[in-house]
Amino acid sequence: MRMRHKPWALPYLKAHPQVVFEPQEKPLQLSDHSSSLILEIGSGKGRYVSTLAQRFPQHHYIALEKDINVSATALKAAGDTLPKNLTWIVGSAGDLERYFEPGVLDEIHLNFSDPWPKKGHEKRRLTSRTFMPMMLNVLKPQGVIRFKTDNASLFEYTMLQMQTYPLELLEFNVQYTHDGSIDVHTEYEQKFNALNQPIYRAIWRKKP
Ligand SMILES: C[S@@+](CC[C@H](N)C(=O)[O-])C[C@H]1O[C@@H](n2cnc3c(N)ncnc32)[C@H](O)[C@@H]1O
């Protein structure tokens, strides 16, 4: 998701108490050990993660979004305030291990990640070898990765990539629709649903 530069975005985000900007010297301490920690990477305008945070106050959600302008728009759309159990990180998946200690996350959600279709751009895909070892490192044993996309090639690529890691496939769906009670439409998902395009989804669990 690319957006026009917003001069107000940087000062606005830096002043926001629920926004983390740089990796700190020490990884974040977000869990009180009673709630699950659930991370969405590439949260865009934040509809998905904000809605889940409101629906499940017993969990702590984290949005990781690298684009400053998109992040600022997400916070504005939320009326300047995020649910108490949501932390917004303006940062890149490449810094995952600087934000999180090993084995702290219960779930990682990847929704409509940028497909980077050119072969030369493969390493930018979130499910490539660039990011997957880091994701597996910060995920708990038995932690879960949830993946949704409209892009058949990225889905196929991801299914093959995931086979090379200690992951158990829990769900595979090439015509995914959901009942709304345990899943939420993202902004991209709404668009693709309106166009009647299939949504692909898979879920894996990290082997202990
Ligand atoms: C295609 S958009 C999808 C947004 C949202 N998940 C949705 O489904 O509506 C992908 C988002 O991922 C973000 N993104 C891409 N690569 C990223 C990375 N390495 N780290 C953090 N965010 C990333 C982009 O800035 C963009 O906002």
Side-chain angles (χ1 to χ4, degrees), residues 1 40 42 44 65-66 91-93 111-112 114 126 186-188:
M1 189 178 290
E40 185 193 19
E65 169 54 54
K66 68 175 182 183
S92 169
N111 292 317
F112 300 84
D114 295 323
L126 286 178
T186 76
E187 279 89 1
Y188 271 63

Side-chain angles (χ1 to χ4, degrees), residues 71-191:
S71 294
T73 304
L75 261 85
K76 277 276 177 217
D80 295 328
T81 318
L82 296 171
K84 272 206 305 262
N85 57 331
L86 173 57
T87 302
W88 192 281
I89 303 178
V90 184
S92 169
D95 282 329
L96 264 185
E97 288 165 311
R98 297 178 65 199
Y99 288 111
F100 302 105
E101 282 172 343
V104 291
L105 297 178
D106 291 271
E107 294 189 14
I108 297 178
H109 298 196
L110 303 170
N111 292 317
F112 300 84
S113 307
D114 295 323
W116 295 109
K118 289 187 189 161
K119 182 104 188 83
H121 289 159
E122 183 202 329
K123 59 180 186 299
R124 299 185 192 179
R125 296 175 198 153
L126 286 178
T127 49
S128 74
R129 267 177 297 160
T130 313
F131 302 104
M132 279 308 300
M134 291 186 239
M135 282 189 218
L136 287 171
N137 185 30
V138 295
L139 201 58
K140 278 184 181 162
Q142 311 244 39
V144 165
I145 298 177
R146 293 171 173 265
F147 180 81
K148 284 195 277 192
T149 184
D150 63 299
N151 190 297
S153 303
L154 180 67
F155 189 65
E156 189 184 343
Y157 169 84
T158 299
M159 293 307 302
L160 294 173
Q161 282 296 307
M162 296 304 200
Q163 285 178 22
T164 66
Y165 298 103
L167 290 166
E168 178 193 355
L169 182 65
L170 300 181
E171 186 188 307
F172 170 90
N173 196 329
V174 293
Q175 200 82 49
Y176 175 64
T177 50
H178 49 78
D179 67 7
S181 62
I182 51 164
D183 193 14
V184 169
H185 289 109
T186 76
E187 279 89 1
Y188 271 63
E189 193 169 4
Q190 285 179 319
K191 281 190 211 162

